Amino acid sequence: MIVETRYQDLYTPDDPFTMESGATLPNVTVAYETYGTLDASGTNAVLVCHALTGSAHAAGLHPGESTPGGWWDSFIGPGKPLDTERFFVICSNFLGSCYGTTGPLSIDPSTGRPYGMTFPQMTVRDMVTVQKRLIDQLGVRQLRTVIGGSLGGMQVLEWGVMFPDSVASLIPIATSAQHSAWSVGLNDIGRQAIMNDPDWRGGEYHGHGQPRRGLSLARQVAMMSYRSEREFAGRFGRAKRQENGDRFDPENIFQVESYLRHQGKKLVDRFDANTYLYITRAMDLHDVAYGRGALPDVLASVRHPALCIGIDSDILYPAHEQRSIAEALLSAEYREIASPYGHDAFLIEFEQMASFVREFLR
Amino acid sequence: MIVETRYQDLYTPDDPFTMESGATLPNVTVAYETYGTLDASGTNAVLVCHALTGSAHAAGLHPGESTPGGWWDSFIGPGKPLDTERFFVICSNFLGSCYGTTGPLSIDPSTGRPYGMTFPQMTVRDMVTVQKRLIDQLGVRQLRTVIGGSLGGMQVLEWGVMFPDSVASLIPIATSAQHSAWSVGLNDIGRQAIMNDPDWRGGEYHGHGQPRRGLSLARQVAMMSYRSEREFAGRFGRAKRQENGDRFDPENIFQVESYLRHQGKKLVDRFDANTYLYITRAMDLHDVAYGRGALPDVLASVRHPALCIGIDSDILYPAHEQRSIAEALLSAEYREIASPYGHDAFLIEFEQMASFVREFLR
């Protein structure tokens, strides 16, 4: 399945985007990919919402790629749970990200330089508003479902509230209806790690290189929250880089330390530090009830058939939180993934995820 | 109960301390406090082992203190679980800490400047070796029990293996027999936070002020692991500093963010950054089986009556880890604290802790 990321100018200076904060963006370009074919009625589309560091490249091969680089390739394609012989699958990079959609790394037309920290703070609702305009332009009349985990699931819930007639069902996975104090705390620690780094330069690092140590550290904190004690015990134990090396040698670190630093470096090489600040803040501001009344009432007003999925070992968006969302929605079922992998299990436990989603979409 | 911290020179240039690494310290001074009176047989002593950032000041009032500043004052005193009418309670600041015992903040006699990063890496076994010399000098023939949580519990387990005849029972709480990959990962993230801070200056910050941002961030990461998602949800929810303030104002942070930063600042004002690096590394090196055979055999060789205490919400040293330790020791019972407070519950859930310990010491 060869795909290309496409780019759509959704807002222009003549038709600017007004954000939830009241700020306006004169231009919004969105990067997106589609897989499969939209049917004549415009009702077989599935919107896939990505998480913090994801992109529009969810599945398939880009020209030149030797192995599929999409972040959910196992899930999207012919015969796969999001079956492209049946569905027109859309994944768009959300507003404020750094993979082709307008965000802090984009050029501010008024200065000719990257927005950086002058980009207005976007919200999950802003992301969904932009997605709605994209699916309208693609000719979608009603989405068959919206699916996503983590920050992706926050978008799913907002879809149910903001555009109830434009979506037929919802699949929020390992997410929050209101970002918890726990998750806010973890995000804030990551932000401090970035902003403490002198190479962050108050966000004006463009042309100087990223705040590498800070962004790496933010990622490492996040990685701990995406995984679990049980997985680390089985995977690393007390293994050291050199088992026969000097145990007092500061260079002879534990494999878990080496793993975390490697994960940090990998993110630094592919993600923008200011963007990380903006997206984590958008997550922290996420609250489906904000300005709409009490949370139970807001969730009960969502009448779509919904499949809520939790993970038994998730310490970031715990299973009890997913059960609560399922109970509060008017017509939701709850399924739980049994896994040692923690929050990331929704990207790892293919068999369980596939069976839940196939059954729901049948 | 008025107490003073006392100081004992346990090793001197004529009788230096040889560490587990082979390095030697020409001088070791230990800060310690005692509560109650040693009986004639020298067998009513209880050794209290403190955790990462603790000190010898476990209980009582220092001259000039208006409220008891000891870290476990609720637990130690007349009629309290560690009853000073019955027991001679000892708490010493362990080797490598910064509250009066020789460590990285001490003056290196060969340079006249603080050791800093030239201090040899101490281990939990070194801490226990030094404690043994202290109790010998205090005239203790056999400890009635050794008790401690977290890093304190690691010392407790080493006491059982290293000096089995010098202790009659053991109370390890919320601890590890081998520091887990999970806990190593969290510690390493804290160390990186400190060492990333340019104010750390490769450890040569003396006279310039501490690496405040780095040490604060390390503490905040640790605080998350000491508490729990459930506690934070109940305590902070989504409360903001100013509920009627602008939710997009970066200064109008969530209360959980304010709390974490405050906790970070509090530690910076009372603890030394290099010392934090050394102690967390000592924890990571902790492995009661190292050089002694297989872990089950080593733990089964510990024949003391033992009370192992776990906490149901502890994500740092989880309850299953405490159950495993209890099962592996030859003669241990396991009790579990039910609490939303996570790892810190052993310092908070007084009633449950008190009932377990009173019953065991009866």
Side-chain angles (χ1 to χ4, degrees):
Chain A
M1 194 165 72
I2 302 286
V3 295
E4 286 192 39
T5 304
R6 278 173 287 177
Y7 300 87
Q8 183 78 25
D9 294 328
L10 291 179
Y11 298 89
T12 56
D14 293 340
D15 175 24
F17 179 56
T18 302
M19 303 170 85
E20 192 185 349
S21 68
T24 57
L25 286 173
N27 297 282
V28 175
T29 301
V30 165
Y32 70 100
E33 297 190 4
T34 65
Y35 322 96
T37 309
L38 186 65
D39 65 15
S41 67
T43 59
N44 74 327
V46 168
L47 180 65
V48 172
C49 300
H50 69 76
L52 206 172
T53 68
S55 72
H57 186 26
L61 275 173
H62 278 183
E65 266 184 357
S66 54
T67 55
W71 58 271
W72 221 9
D73 187 74
S74 64
F75 222 71
I76 303 165
K80 295 181 180 177
L82 300 181
D83 186 350
T84 50
E85 292 175 346
R86 201 176 148 205
F87 299 120
F88 177 62
V89 179
I90 306 162
C91 183
S92 72
N93 189 219
F94 56 60
L95 183 72
S97 179
C98 54
Y99 285 112
T101 293
T102 302
L105 199 56
S106 303
I107 299 297
D108 177 352
S110 72
T111 65
R113 292 188 31 82
Y115 279 104
M117 297 303 288
T118 70
F119 194 76
Q121 179 64 53
M122 73 288 182
T123 65
V124 176
R125 295 181 191 181
D126 290 328
M127 296 173 190
V128 170
T129 302
V130 171
Q131 285 165 350
K132 173 66 163 63
R133 181 168 283 213
L134 175 68
I135 68 149
D136 286 346
Q137 296 207 359
L138 292 174
V140 174
R141 280 192 41 240
Q142 188 186 51
L143 290 164
R144 177 70 182 76
T145 200
V146 187
I147 184 171
S150 202
L151 169 52
M154 300 177 205
Q155 298 160 55
V156 171
L157 292 173
E158 281 293 348
W159 265 96
V161 178
M162 294 173 70
F163 303 109
D165 299 335
S166 301
V167 56
S169 72
L170 306 171
I171 310 181
I173 305 160
T175 190
S176 284
Q178 300 178 312
H179 213 226
S180 70
W182 183 250
S183 302
V184 170
L186 284 164
N187 272 347
D188 189 52
I189 286 171
R191 285 190 293 267
Q192 288 180 62
I194 292 168
M195 297 168 78
N196 280 355
D197 187 338
D199 291 336
W200 179 60
R201 300 168 186 259
E204 297 285 334
Y205 51 80
H206 308 286
H208 298 278
Q210 289 241 71
R212 298 185 63 85
R213 288 172 306 176
L215 181 55
S216 167
L217 193 59
R219 178 62 164 183
Q220 293 178 62
V221 172
M223 279 307 298
M224 299 285 307
S225 75
Y226 299 158
R227 297 296 173 128
S228 82
E229 175 267 337
R230 188 152 53 110
E231 186 216 347
F232 276 26
R235 182 167 176 178
F236 304 113
R238 289 187 51 78
K240 293 201 112 183
R241 259 193 191 157
Q242 305 162 342
E243 277 311 323
N244 295 319
D246 177 3
R247 63 198 277 261
F248 290 98
D249 175 1
E251 302 296 311
N252 190 18
I253 60 180
F254 290 95
Q255 281 187 8
V256 64
E257 298 174 282
S258 176
Y259 166 82
L260 288 169
R261 293 173 194 194
H262 178 66
Q263 293 297 323
K265 181 181 180 306
K266 276 195 348 191
L267 191 76
V268 168
D269 291 342
R270 73 173 181 87
F271 209 80
D272 172 58
N274 284 339
T275 302
Y276 197 93
L277 301 176
Y278 273 82
I279 298 176
T280 56
R281 187 55 88 188
M283 294 167 77
D284 292 351
L285 290 170
H286 169 67
D287 177 356
V288 290
Y290 182 80
R292 293 169 178 160
L295 180 64
D297 298 337
V298 174
L299 288 177
S301 76
V302 177
R303 294 158 180 278
H304 309 79
L307 168 64
C308 298
I309 301 176
I311 299 151
D312 62 356
S313 56
D314 193 339
I315 59 167
L316 186 57
Y317 302 112
H320 72 79
E321 191 172 6
Q322 313 315 310
R323 272 193 302 271
S324 298
I325 294 170
E327 286 162 12
L329 293 170
L330 197 73
S331 180
E333 58 184 285
Y334 174 66
R335 304 297 293 268
E336 192 165 296
I337 296 171
S339 172
Y341 287 107
H343 181 61
D344 271 352
F346 78 94
L347 296 169
I348 297 171
E349 299 285 1
F350 173 79
E351 294 297 338
Q352 294 178 72
M353 277 291 296
S355 100
F356 298 159
V357 171
R358 279 186 204 276
E359 186 187 12
F360 179 75
L361 291 178
R362 199 167 287 149
Chain B
M1 195 166 73
I2 302 285
V3 295
E4 286 194 37
T5 304
R6 279 174 286 176
Y7 300 87
Q8 184 77 26
D9 294 328
L10 291 180
Y11 298 88
T12 57
D14 293 339
D15 175 25
F17 180 55
T18 302
M19 303 171 84
E20 191 186 350
S21 68
T24 57
L25 286 172
N27 297 282
V28 175
T29 301
V30 166
Y32 71 100
E33 297 190 2
T34 66
Y35 322 97
T37 309
L38 187 64
D39 65 15
S41 68
T43 60
N44 73 326
V46 168
L47 180 66
V48 172
C49 300
H50 69 76
L52 206 172
T53 69
S55 72
H57 187 26
L61 276 173
H62 278 182
E65 268 183 357
S66 54
T67 55
W71 58 270
W72 221 8
D73 188 74
S74 64
F75 222 70
I76 302 164
K80 295 180 181 177
L82 300 180
D83 186 351
T84 50
E85 293 175 347
R86 201 177 148 205
F87 299 120
F88 176 62
V89 179
I90 307 161
C91 182
S92 73
N93 189 219
F94 57 60
L95 182 72
S97 179
C98 54
Y99 284 112
T101 293
T102 302
L105 200 56
S106 303
I107 300 298
D108 177 353
S110 72
T111 65
R113 294 188 31 83
Y115 280 104
M117 296 303 287
T118 70
F119 194 76
Q121 178 63 53
M122 72 287 181
T123 65
V124 175
R125 295 183 190 181
D126 290 327
M127 297 173 188
V128 170
T129 301
V130 170
Q131 285 165 348
K132 174 64 165 60
R133 181 169 282 212
L134 175 68
I135 68 147
D136 286 347
Q137 295 206 1
L138 292 174
V140 175
R141 277 192 43 239
Q142 189 186 52
L143 290 163
R144 177 69 182 79
T145 200
V146 187
I147 184 172
S150 203
L151 170 52
M154 300 177 206
Q155 297 161 58
V156 171
L157 292 174
E158 281 293 347
W159 264 97
V161 178
M162 294 173 70
F163 303 109
D165 299 334
S166 301
V167 56
S169 71
L170 306 170
I171 309 180
I173 305 160
T175 191
S176 284
Q178 300 178 311
H179 213 228
S180 71
W182 183 251
S183 303
V184 169
L186 284 164
N187 272 347
D188 189 52
I189 286 170
R191 286 190 293 266
Q192 290 181 60
I194 292 169
M195 296 169 79
N196 280 356
D197 187 339
D199 291 336
W200 179 60
R201 299 169 187 261
E204 297 285 333
Y205 51 80
H206 308 287
H208 297 279
Q210 289 242 69
R212 298 185 63 85
R213 288 172 304 175
L215 181 56
S216 166
L217 193 59
R219 179 61 164 184
Q220 294 178 61
V221 172
M223 280 305 299
M224 299 286 306
S225 74
Y226 300 157
R227 297 295 174 129
S228 81
E229 176 267 335
R230 188 152 54 110
E231 185 215 348
F232 276 25
R235 183 168 176 177
F236 305 112
R238 289 188 51 79
K240 293 201 114 184
R241 261 195 189 154
Q242 305 161 345
E243 278 309 324
N244 296 319
D246 178 2
R247 62 197 276 263
F248 290 98
D249 175 1
E251 302 295 312
N252 190 17
I253 60 180
F254 290 96
Q255 281 186 10
V256 63
E257 297 175 282
S258 177
Y259 167 82
L260 287 170
R261 293 171 195 196
H262 178 66
Q263 293 297 323
K265 180 179 181 307
K266 276 196 348 194
L267 191 76
V268 168
D269 291 342
R270 73 173 181 88
F271 209 81
D272 172 57
N274 285 339
T275 302
Y276 196 92
L277 300 176
Y278 273 82
I279 298 176
T280 55
R281 187 55 88 184
M283 295 167 77
D284 292 350
L285 289 170
H286 169 67
D287 177 357
V288 289
Y290 183 79
R292 292 169 177 159
L295 181 64
D297 298 336
V298 173
L299 288 176
S301 76
V302 177
R303 293 158 181 278
H304 309 79
L307 168 65
C308 298
I309 301 176
I311 300 150
D312 62 355
S313 56
D314 191 340
I315 59 166
L316 186 56
Y317 303 111
H320 72 79
E321 191 173 7
Q322 314 314 310
R323 273 193 300 272
S324 297
I325 295 171
E327 286 164 11
L329 293 170
L330 196 74
S331 181
E333 59 185 284
Y334 174 68
R335 304 298 293 269
E336 192 164 296
I337 297 172
S339 172
Y341 287 107
H343 182 62
D344 272 353
F346 78 94
L347 296 168
I348 298 170
E349 298 286 1
F350 173 79
E351 294 297 337
Q352 295 180 71
M353 276 292 296
S355 100
F356 298 158
V357 171
R358 280 187 205 276
E359 186 187 10
F360 180 74
L361 291 177
R362 200 167 287 149

